[in-house]
Amino acid sequence: MKKNETIERYLQLAAEEARKGVEADHGGPFGAVIVHRGEVIATAHNEVVHRNDPTAHAEILAIRQAGKVLGRFHLEGCELYCTGEPCPMCFSAIHWAHLDRVVYCNTKAQAAEIGFDDQFITEIITGRQPDPIPFLHLPDPACSSVMRFWDEKEDKILY
């Protein structure tokens, strides 16, 4: 099978997963597939509505599943195929997971056209819009103590 045919097959799997989610009323039309060394190890669709969980995006659920399958939290050697360009939350999770590559079909602009517009988050992150949620920095000795405890822990697992 040619490389493009393989990519198309993974994207087709992501689309099938997205369709399953839409048919089940689990959430928006988003599906994700994670591949490790040519093997599909995780598939997921958006489950925001089903789980009442705003973080239950297809990419996040697939990353969680892949971590369990591989038994590790860094997913080097893995590629993510998804039906939509990742939102800011998923974009961050992709980087935290250290995925090797992301291939997506629909753009953020296309998602915005059907009601999934995350531009407001980008505007807040880049400082072009004020954050409507107040964030209050309140230093506390107990919290600082936990940070020191972690820093001094000799057998910690860095990530």
Side-chain angles (χ1 to χ4, degrees), residues 27-42:
F30 305 103
V33 171
I34 294 184
V35 176
H36 178 251
R37 296 183 181 158
E39 179 185 349
V40 174
I41 61 166

Side-chain angles (χ1 to χ4, degrees), residues 140-152:
D140 182 90
C143 296
S144 297
S145 173
V146 172
M147 295 285 275
R148 280 191 307 279
F149 177 67
W150 165 261
D151 187 45
E152 294 167 2

Side-chain angles (χ1 to χ4, degrees), residues 11 33 59 63 78-82 84-86 90-91 94-95 99-105:
L11 291 173
V33 171
E59 299 91 335
I63 288 169
C78 294
E79 298 177 338
L80 171 67
Y81 297 85
C82 46
E85 184 176 359
C90 295
F91 177 88
I94 287 162
H95 287 278
L99 291 162
D100 287 357
R101 178 169 78 159
V102 176
V103 179
Y104 64 90
C105 297

Side-chain angles (χ1 to χ4, degrees), residues 66-122:
K68 286 181 185 175
V69 168
L70 295 177
R72 56 189 165 99
F73 49 84
H74 279 177
L75 302 179
E76 291 98 347
C78 294
E79 298 177 338
L80 171 67
Y81 297 85
C82 46
T83 58
E85 184 176 359
C87 74
M89 176 183 67
C90 295
F91 177 88
S92 296
I94 287 162
H95 287 278
W96 281 118
H98 298 273
L99 291 162
D100 287 357
R101 178 169 78 159
V102 176
V103 179
Y104 64 90
C105 297
N106 301 308
T107 65
K108 288 182 178 191
Q110 290 171 300
E113 289 174 7
I114 62 167
F116 296 95
D117 191 353
D118 61 25
Q119 185 60 31
F120 76 99
I121 296 171
T122 302

